[in-house]
């Protein structure tokens, strides 16, 4: 009798321990989500990692964040590892939209829901692709530089004296860099055809790396004997690198240059009159969209607002087959004229960062 009671007590204690630790039962275990970032070098990614983590944790998920420091193989290994750890969903910012296919296909095969975030991963095994209108980003960059040069309309630029333009693309392994260039070309092609502008250098910046961009611009300036009239750069990071090289030759502020992301440093350069134009992409909207989408997909709920695209049309590569569901948020051009309203007043970048080193008397009021 007594031994029976002891056994019952031991049994009850084991049950309580199992319930407390969650071992053996799935009910108290949190679903794991993996976030895979190409790098944290560009300002936006860390901010988005933090916001995603916060939103996912608020929904009761456990979050694992990995950053690959631009290493394509490392990113694939990190994705494989997260799948081995049992993540049920992945949000991936791919360093290389082709290379990531290997690990993403494996993850999808294992039943993991993969969302390609901001950058396309070129496989139809992704559950969705969420980004901004990247072609429009390129159009706004080129338009900003053309407008600053007075094109169309200026009598300065003729067939005999075309504006000398530098094209600086992003990382060639990032599909966004290709889409951005497509938009830039749409805008400048008519002026190239008319002969009023001329491309004197056409390059791409590996990893979107600012130091690489600076070196590249140094070489271009040497080769062109500093005679350039405009730079269509593809993001703020690379534009600021290039501005370093231009500054050393007295060209910063005299030669228009574009970027994107409306980074704190980019906007500061705009108010100082060095960077001419950036493109605002409100990541504060994209991040919750990705989180909500993943959450719905994991719960087997229907998701609205996604549109079907072929991989061929999203990559401008007819050899790519299959479809993906995608959504693209709109973008806006940022210049000296609207940076305060669009970026500072909306709280996208802090006032003190944007107006850093600007004398108090020349600053607008604090919002
Ligand atoms: C993003 C840009 C970013 C760049 C470098 C692109 O894929 O769309 O916002 O500046 O990568 O990280």
């Amino acid at each position: 009798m007594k031994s029976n009671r002891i056994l019952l007590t031991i049994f009850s204690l084991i049950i309580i321990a199992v319930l407390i630790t969650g071992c053996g039962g799935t009910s108290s275990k949190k679903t794991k989500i993996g976030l895979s970032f190409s790098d944290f070098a560009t300002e936006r990614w860390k901010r988005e990692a933090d916001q995603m983590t916060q939103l996912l944790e608020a929904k009761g998920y456990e979050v694992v964040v990995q950053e690959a420091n631009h290493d394509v193989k490392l990113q694939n290994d990190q994705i494989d590892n997260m799948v081995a750890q049992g993540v049920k969903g992945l949000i991936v910012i791919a360093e290389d939209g082709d290379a990531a296919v290997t690990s993403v296909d494996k993850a999808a095969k294992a039943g993991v829901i993969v969302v390609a975030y901001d950058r396309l991963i070129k496989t139809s095994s992704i559950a969705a692709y969420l980004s901004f209108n990247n072609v429009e980003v390129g159009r706004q960059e080129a338009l900003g530089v053309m407008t600053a040069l007075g094109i169309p309309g200026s009598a300065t630029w003729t067939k005999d004296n075309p504006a000398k333009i530098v094209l600086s693309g992003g990382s060639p392994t990032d599909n966004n860099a290709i889409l951005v260039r497509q938009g830039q070309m749409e805008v400048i092609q008519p002026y190239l055809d008319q002969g009023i502008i001329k491309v004197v250098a056409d390059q791409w910046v590996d990893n979107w790396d600012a130091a690489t961009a600076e070196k590249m611009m140094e070489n271009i300036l040497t080769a062109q004997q500093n005679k350039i009239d405009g730079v269509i750069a593809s993001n703020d990071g690379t534009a600021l690198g290039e501005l370093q090289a231009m500054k050393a030759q007295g060209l910063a502020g005299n030669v228009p240059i574009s970027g994107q992301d409306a980074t704190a440093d980019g906007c500061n350069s705009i108010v100082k009159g060095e960077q001419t134009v950036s493109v605002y992409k409100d990541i504060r909207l994209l991040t919750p969209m990705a989180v909500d989408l993943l959450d719905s997909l994991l719960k087997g709920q229907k998701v609205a607002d996604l549109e079907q695209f072929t991989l061929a049309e999203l990559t401008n590569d007819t050899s790519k087959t299959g479809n993906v569901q995608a959504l693209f948020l709109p973008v806006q051009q940022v210049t000296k004229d609207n940076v305060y309203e669009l970026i500072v007043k909306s709280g996208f970048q802090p006032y003190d960062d944007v107006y850093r080193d600007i004398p108090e008397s020349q600053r607008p009021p604090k919002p």
Side-chain angles (χ1 to χ4, degrees):
M1 238 1 231
K2 199 170 177 201
S3 64
N4 265 356
R5 218 175 300 144
I6 292 173
L7 272 178
L8 198 67
T9 313
I10 293 174
F11 185 66
S12 312
L13 285 174
I14 291 173
I15 295 284
I16 289 166
V18 163
L19 287 177
I20 289 174
T21 57
C23 306
T26 48
S27 56
S28 60
K29 246 193 180 173
K30 289 185 173 176
T31 303
K32 263 194 205 170
I33 305 289
L35 309 181
S36 170
F37 282 82
S38 59
D39 63 279
F40 282 155
T42 297
E43 181 196 88
R44 59 175 290 189
W45 302 130
K46 182 68 176 62
R47 198 171 155 183
E48 282 157 285
D50 292 345
Q51 201 193 349
M52 279 177 199
T53 304
Q54 204 192 328
L55 293 172
L56 284 163
E57 284 178 351
K59 286 187 185 293
Y61 293 103
E62 183 183 334
V63 183
V64 189
V65 186
Q66 298 273 272
E67 181 257 327
N69 195 23
H70 293 301
D71 185 332
V72 172
K73 185 176 175 307
L74 179 61
Q75 183 165 37
N76 276 347
D77 290 347
Q78 289 174 337
I79 292 173
D80 291 347
N81 279 334
M82 288 191 280
V83 173
Q85 277 181 50
V87 298
K88 296 283 178 267
L90 275 166
I91 298 181
V92 180
I93 295 81
E95 173 66 27
D96 181 324
D98 282 298
V101 170
T102 317
S103 56
V104 165
D105 278 351
K106 269 196 267 169
K109 229 178 176 171
V112 177
I113 293 173
V114 184
V115 174
Y117 185 85
D118 196 72
R119 298 176 177 166
L120 180 65
I121 302 164
K122 300 176 193 170
T123 169
S124 47
S125 75
I126 53 172
Y129 165 44
L130 300 185
S131 188
F132 292 90
N133 184 342
N134 292 294
V135 177
E136 189 60 23
V137 169
R139 288 191 199 111
Q140 292 306 323
E141 291 175 335
L143 274 172
V145 173
M146 291 300 115
T147 304
L149 289 170
I151 295 173
S154 161
T156 311
W157 313 115
T158 61
K159 274 190 174 165
D160 296 328
N161 181 41
K164 298 177 194 65
I165 302 296
V166 173
L167 292 181
S168 161
S171 174
T173 60
D174 176 354
N175 193 57
N176 287 348
I178 312 297
L179 300 174
V180 165
R181 175 59 70 86
Q182 181 189 329
Q184 295 168 348
M185 293 312 294
E186 268 178 35
V187 169
I188 68 169
Q189 196 59 52
Y191 309 131
L192 285 169
D193 294 344
Q194 290 161 34
I196 58 168
I197 69 169
K198 178 178 155 189
V199 172
V200 292
D202 174 354
Q203 304 201 11
W204 300 79
V205 181
D206 281 340
N207 295 344
W208 298 88
D209 180 58
T212 306
E214 181 177 351
K215 260 254 113 29
M216 184 188 92
M217 183 55 77
E218 277 168 12
N219 293 336
I220 292 172
L221 292 178
T222 306
Q224 299 302 320
Q225 295 163 328
N226 289 350
K227 294 196 185 75
I228 62 164
D229 299 306
V231 182
I232 303 179
S234 294
N235 79 344
D236 285 4
T238 53
L240 293 171
E242 284 153 16
L243 273 166
Q244 288 299 324
M246 290 158 70
K247 207 174 274 184
Q249 302 303 318
L251 298 178
N254 297 316
V255 172
I257 179 166
S258 59
Q260 69 163 305
D261 292 334
T263 60
D265 289 344
C267 292
N268 181 244
S269 181
I270 287 179
V271 299
K272 286 178 176 160
E274 293 182 345
Q275 189 175 317
T276 314
V277 56
S278 188
V279 183
Y280 174 36
K281 310 193 299 185
D282 196 347
I283 53 179
R284 297 170 299 180
L285 302 176
L286 192 67
T287 303
M289 249 172 208
V291 167
D292 290 346
L293 178 86
L294 186 57
D295 182 46
S296 300
L297 291 173
L298 284 166
K299 290 178 177 153
Q301 294 164 351
K302 262 185 95 68
V303 291
D305 298 333
L306 293 179
E307 229 186 294
Q308 284 270 345
F309 292 86
T310 65
L311 280 172
E313 67 187 316
L314 291 177
T315 55
N316 294 326
D317 177 353
T318 48
S319 73
K320 296 276 179 262
T321 53
N323 298 325
V324 295
Q325 301 200 86
L327 180 147
F328 302 102
L329 292 181
V331 304
Q332 276 170 286
Q333 193 188 77
V334 186
T335 62
K336 216 173 178 168
D337 295 336
N338 66 358
V339 63
Y340 177 69
E341 282 296 323
L342 207 57
I343 305 301
V344 180
K345 271 185 136 177
S346 74
F348 188 69
Q349 294 294 358
Y351 175 93
D352 289 333
D353 290 354
V354 173
Y355 294 101
R356 192 182 63 229
D357 303 333
I358 302 290
E360 206 70 50
S361 60
Q362 289 166 31
R363 292 178 176 203
K366 224 174 185 159

